[in-house]
Amino acid sequence: GARLGRKNMQCMDRLAKMHAHKRNSILKIRDSYGSNLLSTNAADDYHLLRQKSSNAASMSDIIHAIPDQVPLLICNVLVGNAAGTCFVTSSHILFHTQLVPIIGGDRVHLFSIKDVELTINPPSKSLLSPLPASISLTTSISRNNATREEVYQFIPSIGARRFAKFLEVVRDILVENPDTLKLTERGGLVYMYDDSKTHL
């Protein structure tokens, strides 16, 4: 029993350290504006697109004028018949699509990560146009979140499940309380529970 308990604690400790590694990696990229040329250029490009958003006024959070939001993930997406690019920052998701490349049909949609939830839709079984799993973004239209409506649907090039997993980590970091979550790659559960006796 004691040996099994120690094994369980070791597994939990490793998982905590893995989460800490993901968290620290995201925070380093998020805070790299001005200190890393690639990050700064990517953030400037994102900021230019963000200013073209057609729905920024509908979001619950404040859009700051300073272009310091560094994209944590950039991937290709398919939105209906339009190809485009998705940018994920520490607090927003932006979609830039073009129905007809170069000629026109340029559209930009911006969503706050705190405002939307993700639902993975199964792959299309159509023989004529088989498509991989897609993702629906839904937002609450009632105060108790009981009623939600779809506001966007897309197919990410990295796969729906992988995209959803990544956004889950980003959301956890966005809403976490830094005073209660003290994870490091070295400390693991020692810092999570603030109890040095639990460290094995």
Side-chain angles (χ1 to χ4, degrees):
R3 180 177 297 179
L4 182 60
R6 287 194 298 269
K7 282 292 182 182
N8 287 337
M9 285 299 297
Q10 288 173 354
C11 290
M12 292 174 64
D13 193 59
R14 291 191 186 100
L15 288 174
K17 290 175 181 177
M18 287 174 59
H19 178 75
H21 176 72
K22 292 179 182 178
R23 178 179 181 274
N24 291 338
S25 298
I26 288 177
L27 292 179
K28 286 179 181 178
I29 298 174
R30 184 197 68 182
D31 299 333
S32 61
Y33 185 83
S35 61
N36 181 281
L37 181 59
L38 291 177
S39 296
T40 303
N41 289 340
D44 290 340
D45 292 342
Y46 166 82
H47 181 68
L48 291 175
L49 287 173
R50 189 179 69 179
Q51 293 177 316
K52 300 178 181 179
S53 171
S54 60
N55 64 316
S58 64
M59 296 189 303
S60 63
D61 55 356
I62 299 173
I63 303 295
H64 297 286
I66 302 174
D68 59 353
Q69 282 202 50
V70 177
L72 306 172
L73 172 68
I74 302 176
C75 70
N76 295 327
V77 292
L78 183 64
V79 182
N81 295 323
T85 307
C86 174
F87 299 79
V88 178
T89 71
S90 60
S91 54
H92 296 94
I93 311 172
L94 182 145
F95 296 93
H96 177 217
T97 58
Q98 286 185 310
L99 188 59
V100 181
I102 302 177
I103 298 177
D106 184 77
R107 295 180 180 178
V108 178
H109 289 84
L110 184 67
F111 301 97
S112 171
I113 292 177
K114 292 190 294 185
D115 288 345
V116 296
E117 290 186 3
L118 272 66
T119 301
I120 298 178
N121 305 310
S124 168
K125 296 182 179 180
S126 172
L127 296 177
L128 297 178
S129 58
L131 293 172
S134 64
I135 291 179
S136 292
L137 296 183
T138 63
T139 185
S140 174
I141 58 175
S142 61
R143 292 185 178 181
N144 58 2
N145 290 331
T147 306
R148 305 188 67 85
E149 68 175 358
E150 182 181 278
V151 291
Y152 210 78
Q153 186 176 133
F154 64 100
I155 299 175
S157 60
I158 64 172
R161 294 191 181 280
R162 183 179 295 180
F163 186 96
K165 273 291 185 183
F166 179 81
L167 200 70
E168 181 182 345
V169 175
V170 176
R171 188 196 302 274
D172 287 344
I173 295 173
L174 179 64
V175 301
E176 75 183 14
N177 184 343
D179 295 328
T180 58
L181 184 62
K182 299 179 180 179
L183 291 174
T184 70
E185 295 174 39
R186 180 182 63 84
L189 291 180
V190 176
Y191 292 86
M192 179 182 285
Y193 295 115
D194 196 24
D195 183 1
S196 59
K197 295 181 181 179
T198 62
H199 186 57
L200 301 176

